[in-house]
């Protein structure tokens, strides 16, 4: 009987749960799904991470290549993120050029990297004006069950922390780059931005970490990206119902708690990794 | 409808005295709006903020492709064309923001299985572009007669390195600022409809207050003006 009601009136079915301050999967309104992270699984990439937020799974692979630095900033490298939403992850995506959701997610990740300054582009420069690293960060969603942006930012952060770049010296005589694959060093990841997404219901209720179903029923969404100093790198609210300042404050405090949880998990994972 | 309605909104003669606690940089550049200047679209508007200018055209409610139709409300589409070059990923991201903002206020349920298309063309960009696009879109929707539950306005603020807040920054101020925040507020209760930020800012510098009722400190609720247009925060 409940299944019938859910098909006919999904929003009303959902509201019954929200009235009791819980959700159909048993979580509370402010509770995240089980987060797991697996680092360094792709051996052909310079850095990789797989993040699972409940059912949502995103894998990030980072490849480093050489490029000439941009002419207007000869001492900077590049970080190029790309989010791919293949038909594998959800029936709403078709194969072909990236759709709107993939492009918006790519732009969001690029903004997070730019705003939080997690990688200083100057650190990626090998020889000013001649050679710099370009980091291609490919994020592929393997299973899309809501809250894509949180999973993407977390996967990117973990993958970048996993990246090991070989030492490069420019040979003075031949002016060619010599790569020493035996000597690798980690990237200097300066800040750790963590995203927290909310779904807005009926203009007043905010639930954390929405699943795919909840995102479809919600009136609006809100994503906050915070770093460890409590600064907001991004306040992304693409339309939807109105929010008051007080509600925003609640979201900010929840985002701060989430940052602590994520940082703890990541530190545990990296500590447990055996050095290669 | 005869000719064009020129609403040359003169900037407030007292520059930012209401928000003087925030510093002298809280005045807006001269802004103007002209409606019904294009003959083909159902509604059109040109919004000017200082030197930034955006032209918007609205077609709708019109026929919708079966693949895109929604059975119980109108399908909104936003196309944003930059001044030079082809639209890229950044434009797609902005289109999504503008579309979601319009979806929150347009009464789509009155026109099911139709499409409302908003086309925005950037004429010149001198800072606060997204806010100007939002304002132009709103005025064009009004000109087209699309039913809406509220009007909305876009505003950009910039926080510079020592924490002073500037409204409606120019391109130069945006580049030098530490953080640039763009908000869309609705006209009925000044609630936050859309927000996007660039750069880092701490919680203490947030431009909104934490109290109920006063949604945004920069825009205290305007007194209800009898009849006339309460266009949110920009014109007061």
């Amino acid at each position: 009987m409940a299944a019938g009601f859910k098909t006919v009136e999904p929003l009303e079915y959902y509201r019954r749960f929200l009235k009791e301050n819980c959700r159909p999967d048993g979580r509370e309104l402010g509770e995240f799904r089980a987060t797991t992270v697996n680092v360094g699984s792709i051996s052909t990439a310079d850095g990789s991470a797989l993040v699972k937020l409940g059912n949502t799974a995103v894998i990030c692979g980072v490849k480093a290549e050489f490029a000439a630095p941009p002419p207007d900033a000869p001492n900077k490298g590049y970080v190029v993120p790309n989010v791919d939403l293949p038909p594998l992850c959800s029936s709403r995506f078709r194969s072909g050029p990236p759709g709107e959701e993939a492009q918006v997610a790519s732009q969001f990740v690029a903004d997070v990297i730019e705003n939080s300054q997690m990688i200083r582009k100057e650190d990626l420069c090998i020889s000013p004006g001649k050679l710099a690293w370009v980091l291609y960060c490919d994020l592929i969603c393997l299973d899309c069950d809501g809250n894509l942006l949180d999973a993407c930012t977390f996967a990117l952060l973990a993958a970048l922390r996993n990246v090991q770049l070989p030492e490069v010296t420019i040979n003075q005589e031949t002016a060619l780059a010599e790569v020493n694959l035996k000597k690798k060093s980690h990237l200097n990841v300066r800040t750790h931005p963590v995203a927290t997404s909310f779904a807005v219901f009926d203009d007043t209720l905010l639930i954390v970490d929405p699943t795919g179903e909840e995102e479809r029923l919600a009136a609006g969404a809100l994503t906050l990206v915070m770093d460890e100093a409590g600064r907001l790198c991004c306040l992304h609210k693409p339309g939807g119902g109105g929010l008051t300042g007080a509600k925003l404050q609640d979201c900010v405090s929840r985002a701060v708690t989430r940052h602590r949880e994520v940082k703890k998990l990541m530190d545990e994972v990296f500590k447990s990794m055996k050095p290669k | 409808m005869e000719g064009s309605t020129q609403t040359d909104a003169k900037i407030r003669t007292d520059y930012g005295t209401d928000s003087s606690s925030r510093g002298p940089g809280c005045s807006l550049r001269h802004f103007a709006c002209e409606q019904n200047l294009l003959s083909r679209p159902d509604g059109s508007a040109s919004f000017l903020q200082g030197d930034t200018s955006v032209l918007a055209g609205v077609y709708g409610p019109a026929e919708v492709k079966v693949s895109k139709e929604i059975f119980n409300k109108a399908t909104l589409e936003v196309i944003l064309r930059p001044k030079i070059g082809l639209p890229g990923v950044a434009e797609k991201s902005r289109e999504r923001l503008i579309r979601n903002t319009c979806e929150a206020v347009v009464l789509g349920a009155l026109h099911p299985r139709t499409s409302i298309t908003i086309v925005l063309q950037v004429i010149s960009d001198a800072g606060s572009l997204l806010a100007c696009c939002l304002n132009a879109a709103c005025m064009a929707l009004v000109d087209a007669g699309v039913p809406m539950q509220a009007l909305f306005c876009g505003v950009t603020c910039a926080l510079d390195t020592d924490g002073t807040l500037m409204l409606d920054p120019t391109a130069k101020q945006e580049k030098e600022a530490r953080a640039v925040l763009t908000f869309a507020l609705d006209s009925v209760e000044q609630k936050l409809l859309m927000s996007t930020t660039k750069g880092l800012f701490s919680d203490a510098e947030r431009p909104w207050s934490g109290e109920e009722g006063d949604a945004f400190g920069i825009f205290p609720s305007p007194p209800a003006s009898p009849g006339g247009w309460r266009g949110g925060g920009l014109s007061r």
Side-chain angles (χ1 to χ4, degrees):
Chain A
M1 197 211 90
F5 183 45
K6 185 176 173 195
T7 319
V8 171
E9 284 280 350
L11 192 54
E12 209 35 64
Y13 173 81
Y14 208 71
R15 283 207 189 102
R16 302 278 169 92
F17 284 92
L18 289 179
K19 245 192 292 203
E20 309 290 330
N21 269 335
C22 72
R23 289 137 101 173
D25 54 3
R27 284 189 287 157
E28 293 192 11
L29 300 187
E31 207 183 312
F32 262 83
R33 290 173 282 184
T35 316
T36 51
V37 60
N38 185 315
V39 175
S41 39
I42 306 178
S43 53
T44 46
D46 296 300
S48 62
L50 167 68
V51 166
K52 286 187 77 146
L53 264 175
N55 282 333
T56 304
V58 172
I59 188 156
C60 175
V62 182
K63 287 285 274 185
E65 288 177 18
F66 288 138
D72 53 347
N75 61 339
K76 290 192 177 173
Y78 304 85
V79 181
V80 181
N82 183 45
V83 176
D84 185 26
L85 299 174
L88 164 75
C89 66
S90 165
S91 57
R92 21 186 242 271
F93 305 120
R94 299 281 159 86
S95 58
E100 196 204 354
E101 187 139 3
Q103 292 192 45
V104 169
S106 299
Q107 184 63 36
F108 178 81
V109 173
D111 285 342
V112 168
I113 299 173
E114 181 67 41
N115 292 347
S116 66
Q117 292 282 300
M118 56 198 282
I119 303 266
R120 258 183 84 229
K121 300 226 170 87
E122 286 83 354
D123 294 344
L124 296 173
C125 180
I126 304 165
S127 164
K130 296 209 191 66
L131 202 63
W133 284 114
V134 51
L135 294 175
Y136 289 109
C137 312
D138 294 305
L139 294 125
I140 299 168
C141 181
L142 302 171
D143 193 350
C144 187
D145 190 22
N147 206 357
L148 187 66
L149 298 177
D150 282 14
C152 285
T153 25
F154 192 0
L156 179 77
L157 180 59
L160 284 173
R161 272 186 73 173
N162 181 236
V163 167
Q164 283 189 315
L165 293 177
E167 196 196 355
V168 183
T169 44
I170 310 275
N171 190 322
Q172 294 295 345
E173 295 140 6
T174 60
L176 286 173
E178 279 170 11
V179 179
N180 184 356
L181 286 167
K182 302 237 176 38
K183 206 159 158 224
K184 290 197 174 181
S185 59
H186 280 274
L187 262 184
N188 180 13
V189 179
R190 291 156 76 231
T191 56
H192 298 85
V194 170
T196 313
S197 290
F198 302 82
V200 184
F201 273 92
D202 298 334
D203 275 14
T204 44
L205 219 51
L206 282 153
I207 59 169
V208 140
D209 190 17
T211 62
E213 256 181 69
E214 291 167 357
E215 273 185 351
R216 269 192 294 274
L217 296 171
L222 167 68
T223 304
L224 288 168
V225 181
M226 297 211 75
D227 71 358
E228 58 267 4
R231 289 177 302 189
L232 279 158
C233 313
C234 184
L235 204 184
H236 182 81
K237 183 184 186 300
L243 270 189
T244 57
K247 282 266 171 304
L248 272 175
Q249 270 315 102
D250 294 337
C251 295
V252 171
S253 30
R254 185 68 189 85
V256 170
T257 333
R258 175 67 181 165
H259 188 281
R260 263 183 255 135
E261 294 166 13
V262 166
K263 186 100 192 341
K264 206 169 95 172
L265 174 64
M266 252 208 329
D267 289 340
E268 268 175 36
V269 168
F270 279 99
K271 218 173 2 175
S272 70
M273 276 185 64
K274 285 192 270 277
K276 268 190 247 190
Chain B
M1 187 176 278
E2 85 269 332
S4 59
T5 352
Q6 184 98 15
T7 324
D8 196 37
K10 292 260 183 319
I11 191 169
R12 296 168 295 183
T13 47
D14 41 352
Y15 275 59
T17 45
D18 291 337
S19 29
S20 55
S21 56
R22 292 266 186 190
C26 278
S27 57
L28 303 172
R29 294 178 284 180
H30 167 82
F31 62 92
C33 172
E34 191 177 342
Q35 288 178 308
N36 202 12
L37 51 154
L38 299 173
S39 59
R40 305 291 283 173
D42 297 324
S44 56
S46 160
F47 207 90
L48 189 83
Q49 270 178 232
D51 283 326
T52 307
S53 170
V54 173
L55 185 60
V58 168
Y59 293 88
E63 187 87 33
V64 68
K65 256 199 269 195
V66 185
S67 57
K68 289 202 201 142
E69 77 174 7
I70 306 175
F71 76 98
N72 60 345
K73 52 187 186 146
T75 311
L76 246 85
E77 234 177 82
V78 176
I79 302 169
L80 173 62
R81 310 220 114 225
K83 182 169 158 218
I84 12 176
L86 288 165
V89 183
E91 272 72 40
K92 258 287 180 303
S93 171
R94 290 212 175 109
E95 282 173 12
R96 155 77 70 99
L97 294 171
I98 299 171
R99 194 186 79 230
N100 284 14
T101 314
C102 295
E103 271 173 4
V105 289
V106 163
L107 294 169
L110 291 177
H111 298 283
R113 295 190 312 279
T114 61
S115 84
I116 300 175
T117 310
I118 306 170
V119 184
L120 297 151
Q121 171 68 59
V122 176
I123 308 282
S124 67
D125 180 8
S128 310
L129 183 64
L130 184 56
C132 197
C133 291
L134 284 162
N135 293 326
C138 179
M139 297 309 290
L141 283 166
V142 166
D143 189 47
V146 171
M148 300 199 278
Q149 56 171 303
L151 297 173
F152 60 91
C153 76
V155 65
T156 310
C157 349
L159 272 169
D160 66 8
T161 36
D162 49 349
T164 36
L165 190 74
M166 274 179 289
L167 285 186
D168 199 19
T170 60
K172 182 161 168 288
Q173 286 171 331
E174 274 186 0
K175 216 164 17 154
E176 292 166 359
R178 178 158 51 95
V180 176
L181 309 98
T182 305
F183 301 105
L185 307 168
D186 82 327
S187 66
V188 178
E189 285 168 35
Q190 288 79 50
K191 285 216 227 160
L192 176 66
L193 286 178
M194 187 279 291
S195 144
T196 182
T197 66
K198 196 164 105 95
L200 274 173
F201 61 103
S202 71
D203 192 36
E205 292 158 336
R206 60 179 198 267
W208 63 86
S209 70
E211 297 118 41
E212 285 285 355
D214 178 15
F216 271 68
I218 329 171
F219 301 103
S221 330
S225 50
W229 175 57
R230 281 166 62 210
L234 271 188
S235 66
R236 277 193 12 205

